[in-house]
Amino acid sequence: MEKSKSIKLVNQNIQLGSSHIFKDSQKIPFDRINYMIEFMSHNLAYKEYIKKQNHLDENQIILEKFKNKYFNYRANWLETPKRYAYDSLLDEKIPNPLCVDIEIASICDLACPHCFREYIMTPDKIMNDDLYKKIINSIAKLDVPSIKLNWRGEPLLHPKIVDFIRYAKENGILEVIINTNATKLDVEMSKKLIDAGLDQIIFSFDGGNKKTYDKMRPGRFENNNFEKIYSNIKNFFSVRNELNSKFPTSKIQMVLTSDTRNEIEDFYSLFNPYVDDVTVLQYNERGGNISDLSEINKNKINKYLLKNKLDENTPYMVTANDEIFISGERLPCAQIFQRLMVTYDGKVGMCCHDWGAQHCIGYLSERAFDEEKVIKDLEKSILNNKKGFELLKYAKKPKVYNIPEKRIDEIIDIWNGEELNKVRKLHAKQRLNEIEVCKGCTFKDTYAWTKIT
């Protein structure tokens, strides 16, 4: 299908590997940062703070402090990695994390072929209340501005997600985000999420039509279908409008594969009226050898590699605009200077691309020490073709690349600890290949890209 001239794809930063989609009439994509600042008085963390201070009305001085806090958080998101991703600065203490990803549910009700779950065994578990509250209480003291309540699973499958969101907001967390496949996002759940103070909801939806969506997002325990999910997302938009709520802001994203590349225009048309931000993402290989290239682009890349005598496995990236980039160099990963990842059982990983925290850097709960048994039980379920596991037959046990001392630490001690600092120093020296899990990472941000013609 020929791309319409009325649609533009804008790369804010080519290294990010993602593109916002918008019409010619729009000069810029949705600006979440300025939106959050403009409507800070609607942020539940601010409202709760005002309530605790016994202020009956909005306090302009406090409001400005909240606005500045959010602005600084987003500025430091970019600046901190730049300042500390150099060997000469690594002896200085790293600022506190800007975000903690909390896997409240590792279970997922879909079996997407482009997901790590299909190739690396992932437990169907949820986080308990005590661990969650421990994490929130800890990061609230550290003044961590942002949390994301998911990783490998679907957060709406946790029965207490609404309570978890509200608890975070009541404890001053400025920004609470979830990614969801929207299978459980009915009208009642939509109202509860909005009322709890959720700040951003990100929908994962692949395909610009029913055929592609149903292929890319099959259900595990029951049939999943295009019509239901599309309706859920549209209804969420309606509920937010009916409640006259400024939050959560909404974003929808589609992964670029050979199936979806020709459906960008359709994807935009489906969702532009119902979400704030429509985005397409680069595909990162997860083990399924799924093609993200058209035959034309595949031939262009192969011709370039042959002409320049480059290895056939040289990393490439093709943008949504069909611009082709080749990389011959790795870059320090920003994530190890920005955020931490905590699994449902309290295992701490250094990066959201390290599926299962295979390079573990610490523990927040003794429950994490039982992972081997959990994986063995999961393996039995797959081998026995148990209902819900039929589509996971290619999943293998996660590898173990790093085993820290088995002790329970605080988040701040893990953040400033030897395990993570060893990784940071190797990244700063661009020696990523000495870290096994980083060596094979296909995360586009960690490559220096050169455009080819």
Side-chain angles (χ1 to χ4, degrees), residues 205-302:
F205 189 105
D206 293 294
N209 56 52
K210 174 178 173 57
K211 181 180 178 181
T212 303
Y213 176 84
D214 289 351
K215 174 185 176 182
M216 298 287 286
R217 293 192 160 263
R220 282 183 60 196
F221 308 107
E222 58 185 34
N223 288 335
N224 181 45
N225 65 79
F226 173 92
E227 293 85 359
K228 175 188 173 184
I229 307 307
Y230 187 48
S231 176
N232 285 352
I233 294 171
K234 289 197 297 182
N235 286 340
F236 184 87
F237 172 79
S238 298
V239 170
R240 192 183 69 174
N241 284 348
E242 288 169 8
L243 295 176
N244 196 28
S245 179
K246 298 297 182 184
F247 295 102
T249 61
S250 60
K251 176 180 178 179
I252 193 160
Q253 52 194 30
M254 176 177 75
V255 176
L256 291 173
T257 67
S258 56
D259 287 310
T260 64
R261 279 191 180 275
N262 291 328
E263 298 177 9
I264 293 172
E265 189 176 312
D266 298 326
F267 181 66
Y268 175 85
S269 297
L270 281 172
F271 292 107
N272 182 53
Y274 306 111
V275 297
D276 299 313
D277 191 7
V278 183
T279 308
V280 292
L281 301 174
Q282 287 289 324
Y283 170 70
N284 292 305
E285 174 56 37
R286 273 100 179 199
N289 295 317
I290 292 173
S291 175
D292 62 337
L293 295 175
S294 66
E295 285 301 317
I296 292 175
N297 285 334
K298 189 182 297 184
N299 290 334
K300 285 182 180 178
I301 291 171
N302 289 337

Side-chain angles (χ1 to χ4, degrees), residues 354-383:
D354 175 12
W355 198 261
Q358 295 171 99
H359 189 110
C360 179
I361 57 173
Y363 308 95
L364 298 178
S365 169
E366 290 184 359
R367 189 183 178 193
F369 303 153
D370 298 328
E371 183 183 50
E372 187 174 345
K373 180 182 181 303
V374 173
I375 293 297
K376 282 184 179 178
D377 290 342
L378 176 60
E379 186 178 31
K380 288 180 183 177
S381 295
I382 294 172
L383 290 174

Side-chain angles (χ1 to χ4, degrees), residues 53-179:
Q53 299 300 314
N54 293 318
H55 290 287
L56 298 178
D57 301 308
E58 182 179 307
N59 185 297
Q60 193 61 37
I61 295 175
I62 295 174
L63 182 59
E64 288 303 316
K65 287 182 178 179
F66 270 76
K67 289 181 177 182
N68 287 334
K69 180 181 177 181
Y70 188 82
F71 177 83
N72 290 333
Y73 146 55
R74 294 312 305 172
N76 289 331
W77 190 260
L78 299 176
E79 290 303 316
T80 298
K82 291 178 183 177
R83 289 178 56 207
Y84 290 89
Y86 299 95
D87 193 34
S88 59
L89 290 180
L90 278 178
D91 290 333
E92 298 181 17
K93 184 179 178 182
I94 304 292
N96 289 348
L98 296 166
C99 180
V100 176
D101 294 68
I102 307 170
E103 183 184 59
I104 62 171
S106 62
I107 183 172
C108 187
D109 52 352
L110 299 186
C112 308
H114 55 291
C115 177
F116 271 123
R117 296 184 69 91
E118 305 307 294
Y119 313 104
I120 299 178
M121 291 181 185
T122 307
D124 288 333
K125 300 289 185 179
I126 63 173
M127 181 175 284
N128 62 44
D129 293 26
D130 290 341
L131 177 56
Y132 178 76
K133 290 181 178 178
K134 173 185 175 180
I135 295 170
I136 295 298
N137 294 343
S138 177
I139 65 178
K141 290 178 183 176
L142 298 174
D143 207 23
V144 173
S146 178
I147 61 172
K148 201 173 188 184
L149 296 184
N150 57 274
W151 181 22
R152 298 173 294 181
E154 170 50 49
L156 296 187
L157 293 178
H158 199 298
K160 292 194 174 181
I161 182 171
V162 173
D163 296 334
F164 282 3
I165 293 169
R166 183 169 289 279
Y167 187 80
K169 298 305 292 185
E170 288 173 348
N171 281 274
I173 305 300
L174 196 57
E175 180 181 71
V176 179
I177 304 170
I178 65 168
N179 276 71

Side-chain angles (χ1 to χ4, degrees), residues 419-436:
E419 295 290 348
L420 186 51
N421 278 329
K422 282 191 296 187
V423 173
R424 289 180 179 131
K425 287 179 180 179
L426 288 171
H427 272 251
K429 295 175 182 178
Q430 292 179 276
R431 290 161 54 185
L432 282 69
N433 285 345
E434 295 180 31
I435 310 163
E436 204 61 40

